[in-house]
Amino acid sequence: LRQSFDHAMANEGRSGYVLKTTVDCGCGTGLAGDVFRNVSETLVGIDLSPKMIEIAREKKVYDSLETGDIVERLMEHKPGEVSLIIAADAFNYFTELDELFAAMYRALAYGGYAIFSLENVPAAMESRLDEHAKDWRWQFQPSGRIAHRRSYIEKTSKSHEFDVALYGDLDGFRTEKGADVRGHMFLLKKNPPANMKLDEL
């Protein structure tokens, strides 16, 4: 995720960027947060598991840690106070994404970003679904996680006024029972209204 975000910032002429507030959703033990620490003035971690929060706290990566539901915790942030939302393998437990995207949009500043990874269904299953269930949005996987369709993410992003600034395949980003798991990465941007001058993120 960090490499993709750096690439997007370089394309905007902001190679030396520093973000005011980054929120790591589903932070777990702090692996993703650690990667974004050096470009975040304030780094916040959210996780449902108190045990994970305690492990992350011991690493002293985050400025603050919040235990609880991702959507609820995002809604507790002041509107527009977050520069970047990251979620490495954390949104795979959501089915419908409207509530989550609404919470992200509310929390993000204009010009802010959300970058996250999601699972995709196996290629053979994708072909069958595309043929026999043309409107499919997501599918439960044997692991218990949920795989989301690219077009569903793009449609939901548009309905919540996000631009998909970057997309990438993450095929083989994890292995399960000896088999590669397909995935994909999305970078969403909350664009400001026309003629609005942005403060620094």
PDB file of all heavy atoms in Angstrom, residues 34-69:
ATOM      1  N   ASP A  34       3.200   1.029  10.883  1.00  0.00           N
ATOM      2  CA  ASP A  34       4.649   1.210  10.935  1.00  0.00           C
ATOM      3  C   ASP A  34       5.187   1.739   9.612  1.00  0.00           C
ATOM      4  O   ASP A  34       6.095   2.569   9.576  1.00  0.00           O
ATOM      5  CB  ASP A  34       5.307  -0.125  11.283  1.00  0.00           C
ATOM      6  CG  ASP A  34       6.768   0.024  11.648  1.00  0.00           C
ATOM      7  OD1 ASP A  34       7.135   1.042  12.268  1.00  0.00           O
ATOM      8  OD2 ASP A  34       7.559  -0.872  11.302  1.00  0.00           O
ATOM      9  N   VAL A  35       4.587   1.285   8.509  1.00  0.00           N
ATOM     10  CA  VAL A  35       5.036   1.680   7.175  1.00  0.00           C
ATOM     11  C   VAL A  35       4.698   3.141   6.883  1.00  0.00           C
ATOM     12  O   VAL A  35       5.420   3.825   6.150  1.00  0.00           O
ATOM     13  CB  VAL A  35       4.410   0.754   6.110  1.00  0.00           C
ATOM     14  CG1 VAL A  35       4.734   1.226   4.704  1.00  0.00           C
ATOM     15  CG2 VAL A  35       4.899  -0.678   6.298  1.00  0.00           C
ATOM     16  N   PHE A  36       3.608   3.642   7.471  1.00  0.00           N
ATOM     17  CA  PHE A  36       3.172   5.025   7.217  1.00  0.00           C
ATOM     18  C   PHE A  36       3.578   5.987   8.336  1.00  0.00           C
ATOM     19  O   PHE A  36       3.274   7.179   8.261  1.00  0.00           O
ATOM     20  CB  PHE A  36       1.655   5.074   7.027  1.00  0.00           C
ATOM     21  CG  PHE A  36       1.196   4.626   5.666  1.00  0.00           C
ATOM     22  CD1 PHE A  36       0.936   3.288   5.411  1.00  0.00           C
ATOM     23  CD2 PHE A  36       1.029   5.537   4.642  1.00  0.00           C
ATOM     24  CE1 PHE A  36       0.513   2.862   4.153  1.00  0.00           C
ATOM     25  CE2 PHE A  36       0.612   5.126   3.375  1.00  0.00           C
ATOM     26  CZ  PHE A  36       0.354   3.786   3.140  1.00  0.00           C
ATOM     27  N   ARG A  37       4.262   5.490   9.357  1.00  0.00           N
ATOM     28  CA  ARG A  37       4.609   6.325  10.509  1.00  0.00           C
ATOM     29  C   ARG A  37       5.439   7.541  10.115  1.00  0.00           C
ATOM     30  O   ARG A  37       5.205   8.651  10.603  1.00  0.00           O
ATOM     31  CB  ARG A  37       5.370   5.456  11.516  1.00  0.00           C
ATOM     32  CG  ARG A  37       6.017   6.173  12.709  1.00  0.00           C
ATOM     33  CD  ARG A  37       5.009   6.735  13.702  1.00  0.00           C
ATOM     34  NE  ARG A  37       4.487   8.050  13.365  1.00  0.00           N
ATOM     35  CZ  ARG A  37       3.643   8.735  14.143  1.00  0.00           C
ATOM     36  NH1 ARG A  37       3.222   8.205  15.294  1.00  0.00           N
ATOM     37  NH2 ARG A  37       3.209   9.916  13.791  1.00  0.00           N
ATOM     38  N   ASN A  38       6.422   7.350   9.240  1.00  0.00           N
ATOM     39  CA  ASN A  38       7.352   8.440   8.953  1.00  0.00           C
ATOM     40  C   ASN A  38       6.767   9.520   8.058  1.00  0.00           C
ATOM     41  O   ASN A  38       7.421  10.532   7.815  1.00  0.00           O
ATOM     42  CB  ASN A  38       8.644   7.886   8.326  1.00  0.00           C
ATOM     43  CG  ASN A  38       8.442   7.329   6.936  1.00  0.00           C
ATOM     44  OD1 ASN A  38       7.380   6.802   6.626  1.00  0.00           O
ATOM     45  ND2 ASN A  38       9.456   7.430   6.095  1.00  0.00           N
ATOM     46  N   VAL A  39       5.532   9.342   7.558  1.00  0.00           N
ATOM     47  CA  VAL A  39       4.904  10.396   6.753  1.00  0.00           C
ATOM     48  C   VAL A  39       3.610  10.883   7.407  1.00  0.00           C
ATOM     49  O   VAL A  39       2.798  11.541   6.763  1.00  0.00           O
ATOM     50  CB  VAL A  39       4.616   9.914   5.311  1.00  0.00           C
ATOM     51  CG1 VAL A  39       5.914   9.684   4.560  1.00  0.00           C
ATOM     52  CG2 VAL A  39       3.752   8.661   5.302  1.00  0.00           C
ATOM     53  N   SER A  40       3.429  10.596   8.691  1.00  0.00           N
ATOM     54  CA  SER A  40       2.202  10.973   9.396  1.00  0.00           C
ATOM     55  C   SER A  40       2.548  11.759  10.656  1.00  0.00           C
ATOM     56  O   SER A  40       3.239  11.247  11.546  1.00  0.00           O
ATOM     57  CB  SER A  40       1.392   9.725   9.788  1.00  0.00           C
ATOM     58  OG  SER A  40       1.106   8.926   8.662  1.00  0.00           O
ATOM     59  N   GLU A  41       2.072  12.997  10.733  1.00  0.00           N
ATOM     60  CA  GLU A  41       2.271  13.760  11.958  1.00  0.00           C
ATOM     61  C   GLU A  41       1.544  13.088  13.119  1.00  0.00           C
ATOM     62  O   GLU A  41       2.079  12.968  14.225  1.00  0.00           O
ATOM     63  CB  GLU A  41       1.770  15.192  11.778  1.00  0.00           C
ATOM     64  CG  GLU A  41       2.603  16.022  10.815  1.00  0.00           C
ATOM     65  CD  GLU A  41       2.062  17.432  10.684  1.00  0.00           C
ATOM     66  OE1 GLU A  41       1.143  17.807  11.440  1.00  0.00           O
ATOM     67  OE2 GLU A  41       2.569  18.165   9.807  1.00  0.00           O
ATOM     68  N   THR A  42       0.311  12.671  12.858  1.00  0.00           N
ATOM     69  CA  THR A  42      -0.483  11.950  13.852  1.00  0.00           C
ATOM     70  C   THR A  42      -0.968  10.654  13.229  1.00  0.00           C
ATOM     71  O   THR A  42      -1.542  10.655  12.139  1.00  0.00           O
ATOM     72  CB  THR A  42      -1.704  12.780  14.311  1.00  0.00           C
ATOM     73  OG1 THR A  42      -1.237  14.009  14.891  1.00  0.00           O
ATOM     74  CG2 THR A  42      -2.525  12.016  15.340  1.00  0.00           C
ATOM     75  N   LEU A  43      -0.730   9.546  13.923  1.00  0.00           N
ATOM     76  CA  LEU A  43      -1.108   8.224  13.425  1.00  0.00           C
ATOM     77  C   LEU A  43      -2.035   7.563  14.449  1.00  0.00           C
ATOM     78  O   LEU A  43      -1.664   7.387  15.604  1.00  0.00           O
ATOM     79  CB  LEU A  43       0.126   7.367  13.197  1.00  0.00           C
ATOM     80  CG  LEU A  43      -0.091   5.955  12.642  1.00  0.00           C
ATOM     81  CD1 LEU A  43      -0.748   6.006  11.258  1.00  0.00           C
ATOM     82  CD2 LEU A  43       1.239   5.209  12.570  1.00  0.00           C
ATOM     83  N   VAL A  44      -3.235   7.230  13.973  1.00  0.00           N
ATOM     84  CA  VAL A  44      -4.270   6.639  14.834  1.00  0.00           C
ATOM     85  C   VAL A  44      -4.539   5.218  14.371  1.00  0.00           C
ATOM     86  O   VAL A  44      -4.681   4.966  13.170  1.00  0.00           O
ATOM     87  CB  VAL A  44      -5.574   7.460  14.773  1.00  0.00           C
ATOM     88  CG1 VAL A  44      -6.646   6.843  15.670  1.00  0.00           C
ATOM     89  CG2 VAL A  44      -5.310   8.909  15.174  1.00  0.00           C
ATOM     90  N   GLY A  45      -4.631   4.287  15.300  1.00  0.00           N
ATOM     91  CA  GLY A  45      -4.961   2.909  14.976  1.00  0.00           C
ATOM     92  C   GLY A  45      -6.319   2.521  15.529  1.00  0.00           C
ATOM     93  O   GLY A  45      -6.661   2.894  16.652  1.00  0.00           O
ATOM     94  N   ILE A  46      -7.093   1.800  14.739  1.00  0.00           N
ATOM     95  CA  ILE A  46      -8.408   1.297  15.161  1.00  0.00           C
ATOM     96  C   ILE A  46      -8.417  -0.218  14.981  1.00  0.00           C
ATOM     97  O   ILE A  46      -8.026  -0.725  13.930  1.00  0.00           O
ATOM     98  CB  ILE A  46      -9.551   1.892  14.323  1.00  0.00           C
ATOM     99  CG1 ILE A  46      -9.590   3.420  14.420  1.00  0.00           C
ATOM    100  CG2 ILE A  46     -10.898   1.301  14.746  1.00  0.00           C
ATOM    101  CD1 ILE A  46     -10.597   4.070  13.473  1.00  0.00           C
ATOM    102  N   ASP A  47      -8.878  -0.941  15.997  1.00  0.00           N
ATOM    103  CA  ASP A  47      -9.044  -2.386  15.850  1.00  0.00           C
ATOM    104  C   ASP A  47     -10.135  -2.869  16.789  1.00  0.00           C
ATOM    105  O   ASP A  47     -10.316  -2.324  17.887  1.00  0.00           O
ATOM    106  CB  ASP A  47      -7.746  -3.135  16.123  1.00  0.00           C
ATOM    107  CG  ASP A  47      -7.725  -4.505  15.456  1.00  0.00           C
ATOM    108  OD1 ASP A  47      -8.306  -5.459  16.020  1.00  0.00           O
ATOM    109  OD2 ASP A  47      -7.156  -4.620  14.357  1.00  0.00           O
ATOM    110  N   LEU A  48     -10.838  -3.906  16.356  1.00  0.00           N
ATOM    111  CA  LEU A  48     -11.922  -4.470  17.151  1.00  0.00           C
ATOM    112  C   LEU A  48     -11.395  -5.282  18.328  1.00  0.00           C
ATOM    113  O   LEU A  48     -12.070  -5.426  19.344  1.00  0.00           O
ATOM    114  CB  LEU A  48     -12.799  -5.369  16.262  1.00  0.00           C
ATOM    115  CG  LEU A  48     -14.155  -5.814  16.789  1.00  0.00           C
ATOM    116  CD1 LEU A  48     -15.057  -4.621  17.064  1.00  0.00           C
ATOM    117  CD2 LEU A  48     -14.828  -6.759  15.788  1.00  0.00           C
ATOM    118  N   SER A  49     -10.180  -5.783  18.206  1.00  0.00           N
ATOM    119  CA  SER A  49      -9.620  -6.688  19.211  1.00  0.00           C
ATOM    120  C   SER A  49      -8.768  -5.950  20.243  1.00  0.00           C
ATOM    121  O   SER A  49      -7.722  -5.377  19.887  1.00  0.00           O
ATOM    122  CB  SER A  49      -8.762  -7.761  18.526  1.00  0.00           C
ATOM    123  OG  SER A  49      -7.998  -8.475  19.470  1.00  0.00           O
ATOM    124  N   PRO A  50      -9.157  -5.976  21.510  1.00  0.00           N
ATOM    125  CA  PRO A  50      -8.318  -5.368  22.553  1.00  0.00           C
ATOM    126  C   PRO A  50      -6.924  -5.990  22.622  1.00  0.00           C
ATOM    127  O   PRO A  50      -5.951  -5.293  22.922  1.00  0.00           O
ATOM    128  CB  PRO A  50      -9.101  -5.640  23.844  1.00  0.00           C
ATOM    129  CG  PRO A  50     -10.521  -5.827  23.396  1.00  0.00           C
ATOM    130  CD  PRO A  50     -10.423  -6.494  22.058  1.00  0.00           C
ATOM    131  N   LYS A  51      -6.813  -7.284  22.339  1.00  0.00           N
ATOM    132  CA  LYS A  51      -5.502  -7.939  22.376  1.00  0.00           C
ATOM    133  C   LYS A  51      -4.581  -7.375  21.302  1.00  0.00           C
ATOM    134  O   LYS A  51      -3.391  -7.139  21.545  1.00  0.00           O
ATOM    135  CB  LYS A  51      -5.666  -9.445  22.192  1.00  0.00           C
ATOM    136  CG  LYS A  51      -6.307 -10.146  23.394  1.00  0.00           C
ATOM    137  CD  LYS A  51      -6.369 -11.644  23.184  1.00  0.00           C
ATOM    138  CE  LYS A  51      -6.988 -12.334  24.406  1.00  0.00           C
ATOM    139  NZ  LYS A  51      -7.070 -13.807  24.214  1.00  0.00           N
ATOM    140  N   MET A  52      -5.138  -7.170  20.106  1.00  0.00           N
ATOM    141  CA  MET A  52      -4.341  -6.579  19.026  1.00  0.00           C
ATOM    142  C   MET A  52      -3.914  -5.161  19.377  1.00  0.00           C
ATOM    143  O   MET A  52      -2.780  -4.745  19.112  1.00  0.00           O
ATOM    144  CB  MET A  52      -5.121  -6.588  17.720  1.00  0.00           C
ATOM    145  CG  MET A  52      -5.327  -7.965  17.113  1.00  0.00           C
ATOM    146  SD  MET A  52      -3.761  -8.679  16.576  1.00  0.00           S
ATOM    147  CE  MET A  52      -4.353 -10.173  15.772  1.00  0.00           C
ATOM    148  N   ILE A  53      -4.816  -4.412  19.968  1.00  0.00           N
ATOM    149  CA  ILE A  53      -4.512  -3.040  20.371  1.00  0.00           C
ATOM    150  C   ILE A  53      -3.365  -3.014  21.377  1.00  0.00           C
ATOM    151  O   ILE A  53      -2.463  -2.164  21.299  1.00  0.00           O
ATOM    152  CB  ILE A  53      -5.764  -2.347  20.955  1.00  0.00           C
ATOM    153  CG1 ILE A  53      -6.782  -2.052  19.842  1.00  0.00           C
ATOM    154  CG2 ILE A  53      -5.395  -1.077  21.711  1.00  0.00           C
ATOM    155  CD1 ILE A  53      -6.368  -0.964  18.880  1.00  0.00           C
ATOM    156  N   GLU A  54      -3.360  -3.946  22.306  1.00  0.00           N
ATOM    157  CA  GLU A  54      -2.296  -3.987  23.308  1.00  0.00           C
ATOM    158  C   GLU A  54      -0.946  -4.316  22.671  1.00  0.00           C
ATOM    159  O   GLU A  54       0.088  -3.752  23.054  1.00  0.00           O
ATOM    160  CB  GLU A  54      -2.634  -4.999  24.404  1.00  0.00           C
ATOM    161  CG  GLU A  54      -3.721  -4.523  25.356  1.00  0.00           C
ATOM    162  CD  GLU A  54      -3.435  -3.134  25.916  1.00  0.00           C
ATOM    163  OE1 GLU A  54      -2.313  -2.910  26.433  1.00  0.00           O
ATOM    164  OE2 GLU A  54      -4.320  -2.260  25.817  1.00  0.00           O
ATOM    165  N   ILE A  55      -0.938  -5.230  21.704  1.00  0.00           N
ATOM    166  CA  ILE A  55       0.310  -5.545  21.002  1.00  0.00           C
ATOM    167  C   ILE A  55       0.799  -4.322  20.229  1.00  0.00           C
ATOM    168  O   ILE A  55       1.995  -3.989  20.248  1.00  0.00           O
ATOM    169  CB  ILE A  55       0.108  -6.743  20.047  1.00  0.00           C
ATOM    170  CG1 ILE A  55      -0.201  -8.010  20.848  1.00  0.00           C
ATOM    171  CG2 ILE A  55       1.351  -6.952  19.181  1.00  0.00           C
ATOM    172  CD1 ILE A  55      -0.602  -9.192  19.983  1.00  0.00           C
ATOM    173  N   ALA A  56      -0.138  -3.647  19.549  1.00  0.00           N
ATOM    174  CA  ALA A  56       0.236  -2.439  18.811  1.00  0.00           C
ATOM    175  C   ALA A  56       0.751  -1.356  19.755  1.00  0.00           C
ATOM    176  O   ALA A  56       1.707  -0.633  19.421  1.00  0.00           O
ATOM    177  CB  ALA A  56      -0.963  -1.926  18.017  1.00  0.00           C
ATOM    178  N   ARG A  57       0.154  -1.252  20.929  1.00  0.00           N
ATOM    179  CA  ARG A  57       0.571  -0.232  21.894  1.00  0.00           C
ATOM    180  C   ARG A  57       2.021  -0.457  22.340  1.00  0.00           C
ATOM    181  O   ARG A  57       2.781   0.497  22.516  1.00  0.00           O
ATOM    182  CB  ARG A  57      -0.360  -0.248  23.101  1.00  0.00           C
ATOM    183  CG  ARG A  57      -0.251   0.999  23.986  1.00  0.00           C
ATOM    184  CD  ARG A  57      -1.150   0.890  25.213  1.00  0.00           C
ATOM    185  NE  ARG A  57      -2.504   0.527  24.894  1.00  0.00           N
ATOM    186  CZ  ARG A  57      -3.433   1.377  24.448  1.00  0.00           C
ATOM    187  NH1 ARG A  57      -3.119   2.647  24.272  1.00  0.00           N
ATOM    188  NH2 ARG A  57      -4.663   0.964  24.202  1.00  0.00           N
ATOM    189  N   GLU A  58       2.391  -1.709  22.494  1.00  0.00           N
ATOM    190  CA  GLU A  58       3.750  -2.038  22.921  1.00  0.00           C
ATOM    191  C   GLU A  58       4.792  -1.619  21.895  1.00  0.00           C
ATOM    192  O   GLU A  58       5.941  -1.341  22.245  1.00  0.00           O
ATOM    193  CB  GLU A  58       3.858  -3.540  23.195  1.00  0.00           C
ATOM    194  CG  GLU A  58       3.081  -3.999  24.422  1.00  0.00           C
ATOM    195  CD  GLU A  58       3.074  -5.508  24.575  1.00  0.00           C
ATOM    196  OE1 GLU A  58       3.732  -6.185  23.750  1.00  0.00           O
ATOM    197  OE2 GLU A  58       2.421  -6.005  25.514  1.00  0.00           O
ATOM    198  N   LYS A  59       4.392  -1.562  20.635  1.00  0.00           N
ATOM    199  CA  LYS A  59       5.329  -1.175  19.572  1.00  0.00           C
ATOM    200  C   LYS A  59       5.565   0.325  19.524  1.00  0.00           C
ATOM    201  O   LYS A  59       6.509   0.791  18.867  1.00  0.00           O
ATOM    202  CB  LYS A  59       4.810  -1.668  18.217  1.00  0.00           C
ATOM    203  CG  LYS A  59       4.832  -3.180  18.080  1.00  0.00           C
ATOM    204  CD  LYS A  59       4.443  -3.610  16.662  1.00  0.00           C
ATOM    205  CE  LYS A  59       4.560  -5.109  16.489  1.00  0.00           C
ATOM    206  NZ  LYS A  59       4.197  -5.536  15.115  1.00  0.00           N
ATOM    207  N   LYS A  60       4.685   1.094  20.150  1.00  0.00           N
ATOM    208  CA  LYS A  60       4.818   2.552  20.230  1.00  0.00           C
ATOM    209  C   LYS A  60       4.910   3.193  18.842  1.00  0.00           C
ATOM    210  O   LYS A  60       5.691   4.116  18.614  1.00  0.00           O
ATOM    211  CB  LYS A  60       6.029   2.929  21.084  1.00  0.00           C
ATOM    212  CG  LYS A  60       5.906   2.441  22.521  1.00  0.00           C
ATOM    213  CD  LYS A  60       7.103   2.834  23.369  1.00  0.00           C
ATOM    214  CE  LYS A  60       6.942   2.334  24.796  1.00  0.00           C
ATOM    215  NZ  LYS A  60       8.110   2.674  25.641  1.00  0.00           N
ATOM    216  N   VAL A  61       4.089   2.681  17.925  1.00  0.00           N
ATOM    217  CA  VAL A  61       4.029   3.225  16.567  1.00  0.00           C
ATOM    218  C   VAL A  61       2.989   4.331  16.469  1.00  0.00           C
ATOM    219  O   VAL A  61       3.186   5.324  15.764  1.00  0.00           O
ATOM    220  CB  VAL A  61       3.700   2.103  15.559  1.00  0.00           C
ATOM    221  CG1 VAL A  61       3.406   2.675  14.173  1.00  0.00           C
ATOM    222  CG2 VAL A  61       4.846   1.107  15.481  1.00  0.00           C
ATOM    223  N   TYR A  62       1.879   4.184  17.193  1.00  0.00           N
ATOM    224  CA  TYR A  62       0.715   5.068  17.061  1.00  0.00           C
ATOM    225  C   TYR A  62       0.714   6.166  18.120  1.00  0.00           C
ATOM    226  O   TYR A  62       1.169   5.969  19.244  1.00  0.00           O
ATOM    227  CB  TYR A  62      -0.576   4.253  17.162  1.00  0.00           C
ATOM    228  CG  TYR A  62      -0.718   3.208  16.080  1.00  0.00           C
ATOM    229  CD1 TYR A  62      -0.268   1.901  16.270  1.00  0.00           C
ATOM    230  CD2 TYR A  62      -1.287   3.530  14.848  1.00  0.00           C
ATOM    231  CE1 TYR A  62      -0.386   0.953  15.272  1.00  0.00           C
ATOM    232  CE2 TYR A  62      -1.411   2.588  13.843  1.00  0.00           C
ATOM    233  CZ  TYR A  62      -0.955   1.295  14.062  1.00  0.00           C
ATOM    234  OH  TYR A  62      -1.073   0.363  13.066  1.00  0.00           O
ATOM    235  N   ASP A  63       0.138   7.304  17.738  1.00  0.00           N
ATOM    236  CA  ASP A  63      -0.071   8.381  18.703  1.00  0.00           C
ATOM    237  C   ASP A  63      -1.285   8.105  19.567  1.00  0.00           C
ATOM    238  O   ASP A  63      -1.333   8.520  20.727  1.00  0.00           O
ATOM    239  CB  ASP A  63      -0.244   9.713  17.963  1.00  0.00           C
ATOM    240  CG  ASP A  63       1.009  10.097  17.202  1.00  0.00           C
ATOM    241  OD1 ASP A  63       2.023  10.399  17.860  1.00  0.00           O
ATOM    242  OD2 ASP A  63       0.988  10.067  15.965  1.00  0.00           O
ATOM    243  N   SER A  64      -2.277   7.412  19.010  1.00  0.00           N
ATOM    244  CA  SER A  64      -3.431   6.985  19.789  1.00  0.00           C
ATOM    245  C   SER A  64      -4.006   5.721  19.180  1.00  0.00           C
ATOM    246  O   SER A  64      -3.858   5.471  17.988  1.00  0.00           O
ATOM    247  CB  SER A  64      -4.506   8.084  19.856  1.00  0.00           C
ATOM    248  OG  SER A  64      -5.038   8.338  18.570  1.00  0.00           O
ATOM    249  N   LEU A  65      -4.663   4.918  20.030  1.00  0.00           N
ATOM    250  CA  LEU A  65      -5.266   3.660  19.603  1.00  0.00           C
ATOM    251  C   LEU A  65      -6.696   3.599  20.100  1.00  0.00           C
ATOM    252  O   LEU A  65      -6.992   3.988  21.234  1.00  0.00           O
ATOM    253  CB  LEU A  65      -4.461   2.474  20.153  1.00  0.00           C
ATOM    254  CG  LEU A  65      -3.109   2.246  19.471  1.00  0.00           C
ATOM    255  CD1 LEU A  65      -2.172   1.448  20.369  1.00  0.00           C
ATOM    256  CD2 LEU A  65      -3.295   1.531  18.137  1.00  0.00           C
ATOM    257  N   GLU A  66      -7.594   3.118  19.225  1.00  0.00           N
ATOM    258  CA  GLU A  66      -9.016   3.079  19.534  1.00  0.00           C
ATOM    259  C   GLU A  66      -9.532   1.657  19.324  1.00  0.00           C
ATOM    260  O   GLU A  66      -9.331   1.076  18.260  1.00  0.00           O
ATOM    261  CB  GLU A  66      -9.780   4.056  18.627  1.00  0.00           C
ATOM    262  CG  GLU A  66      -9.270   5.492  18.711  1.00  0.00           C
ATOM    263  CD  GLU A  66      -9.861   6.385  17.632  1.00  0.00           C
ATOM    264  OE1 GLU A  66     -10.679   5.900  16.819  1.00  0.00           O
ATOM    265  OE2 GLU A  66      -9.488   7.578  17.591  1.00  0.00           O
ATOM    266  N   THR A  67     -10.190   1.119  20.340  1.00  0.00           N
ATOM    267  CA  THR A  67     -10.772  -0.218  20.243  1.00  0.00           C
ATOM    268  C   THR A  67     -12.241  -0.102  19.848  1.00  0.00           C
ATOM    269  O   THR A  67     -12.984   0.679  20.443  1.00  0.00           O
ATOM    270  CB  THR A  67     -10.673  -0.960  21.585  1.00  0.00           C
ATOM    271  OG1 THR A  67      -9.317  -0.978  22.016  1.00  0.00           O
ATOM    272  CG2 THR A  67     -11.164  -2.392  21.457  1.00  0.00           C
ATOM    273  N   GLY A  68     -12.658  -0.872  18.835  1.00  0.00           N
ATOM    274  CA  GLY A  68     -14.073  -0.858  18.477  1.00  0.00           C
ATOM    275  C   GLY A  68     -14.298  -1.023  16.993  1.00  0.00           C
ATOM    276  O   GLY A  68     -13.378  -1.284  16.212  1.00  0.00           O
ATOM    277  N   ASP A  69     -15.556  -0.867  16.612  1.00  0.00           N
ATOM    278  CA  ASP A  69     -15.988  -1.005  15.233  1.00  0.00           C
ATOM    279  C   ASP A  69     -15.416   0.129  14.376  1.00  0.00           C
ATOM    280  O   ASP A  69     -15.424   1.299  14.788  1.00  0.00           O
ATOM    281  CB  ASP A  69     -17.525  -0.983  15.197  1.00  0.00           C
ATOM    282  CG  ASP A  69     -18.073  -1.027  13.800  1.00  0.00           C
ATOM    283  OD1 ASP A  69     -18.125  -2.113  13.224  1.00  0.00           O
ATOM    284  OD2 ASP A  69     -18.453   0.053  13.291  1.00  0.00           O
TER     285      ASP A  69
END
